[in-house]
């Protein structure tokens, strides 16, 4: 196998992350954790919706989660949280104003990729390589909402063809 043609030389930046628009079609409390919700999220994928767990139960009522339009990190690989498989991460802004979802612009379809001007590469589809390069850990400190609530990486907006992704909590880190 292999023969990636020097792809390893690419610097880790936000383009390594596969961030997509999703809709939470269902949510339920985790049976063994008072912090976690088990969410069913439509990401426009042929295989159907993904199951993703989020530590939101102490921040948002479940009715605010069901039906929410969200932005999801899709290429982390699966991991178990409290014995239940999670296939991604919902991105939220958390600051003094509380915790809220990063929300895609109106009209963005499930599965639409969130892009960052000036960071053109395609996402790394091998979760093991993403983990080895610590891509999420490298990018996360540079993710935050600005004074207007626009979600940014190093000051560059999270964007789809329809516009910018935003959050109600301003000037706050995103994770």
């Amino acid at each position: 196998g292999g023969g990636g043609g020097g792809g390893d030389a690419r610097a880790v930046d936000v383009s390594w992350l596969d961030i997509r628009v999703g809709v939470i079609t269902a949510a339920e409390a985790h049976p063994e954790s008072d912090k976690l919700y088990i969410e069913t999220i439509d990401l426009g994928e042929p295989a159907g919706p993904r199951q993703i767990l989020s530590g939101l139960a102490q921040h948002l009522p479940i009715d605010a989660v069901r039906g929410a339009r969200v932005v999801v990190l899709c290429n982390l690989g699966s991991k178990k949280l409290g014995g239940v498989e999670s296939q991604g991460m919902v991105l939220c802004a958390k600051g003094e104003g509380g915790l809220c979802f990063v929300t895609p612009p109106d009209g963005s379809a499930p599965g639409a990729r969130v892009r960052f001007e000036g960071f053109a590469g395609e996402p790394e589809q091998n979760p093991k390589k993403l983990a080895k390069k610590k891509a999420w850990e490298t990018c996360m400190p540079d993710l935050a909402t600005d004074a207007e609530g626009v979600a940014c990486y190093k000051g560059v907006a999270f964007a789809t063809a329809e516009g910018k992704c935003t959050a109600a909590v301003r000037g706050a880190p995103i994770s």
Side-chain angles (χ1 to χ4, degrees), residues 91-94 102 136 140-141 143-145 150-152 158 167 172-175:
L91 297 183
C92 294
K94 185 178 181 183
V102 173
W136 170 243
M140 188 177 71
L143 301 175
T145 55
V150 175
C152 296
F158 285 50
I174 294 170
S175 63

Side-chain angles (χ1 to χ4, degrees), residues 43-136:
L43 288 156
E45 294 173 309
R50 292 193 192 197
Q51 174 174 282
I52 295 180
L53 278 67
S54 301
L56 302 172
Q58 295 179 340
H59 302 280
L60 295 170
I62 201 158
D63 287 339
V65 174
R66 292 182 178 125
R69 297 175 71 251
V70 293
V71 172
V72 179
L73 178 54
C74 296
N75 60 342
L76 281 181
S78 297
K79 64 178 179 184
K80 289 202 168 168
L81 299 175
V84 178
E85 187 180 35
S86 182
Q87 302 166 309
M89 181 190 301
V90 176
L91 297 183
C92 294
K94 185 178 181 183
E96 290 177 16
L99 179 144
C100 69
F101 292 120
V102 173
T103 306
D106 288 345
S108 296
R113 183 165 172 222
V114 174
R115 297 182 183 275
F116 301 82
E117 192 174 339
F119 298 94
E122 286 303 306
E124 173 54 57
Q125 293 304 334
N126 181 343
K128 287 189 175 70
K129 186 171 178 186
L130 201 75
K132 186 178 169 197
K133 292 282 191 176
K134 297 197 178 321
W136 170 243

Side-chain angles (χ1 to χ4, degrees), residues 12 14 17 134-145 152-155 172-175:
V12 172
V14 75
L17 306 179
K134 297 197 178 321
W136 170 243
E137 295 82 352
T138 299
C139 295
M140 188 177 71
D142 293 313
L143 301 175
T145 55
C152 296
Y153 167 75
K154 294 187 175 179
I174 294 170
S175 63

Side-chain angles (χ1 to χ4, degrees), residues 1-13:
D8 282 351
R10 185 171 142 215
V12 172
D13 65 35

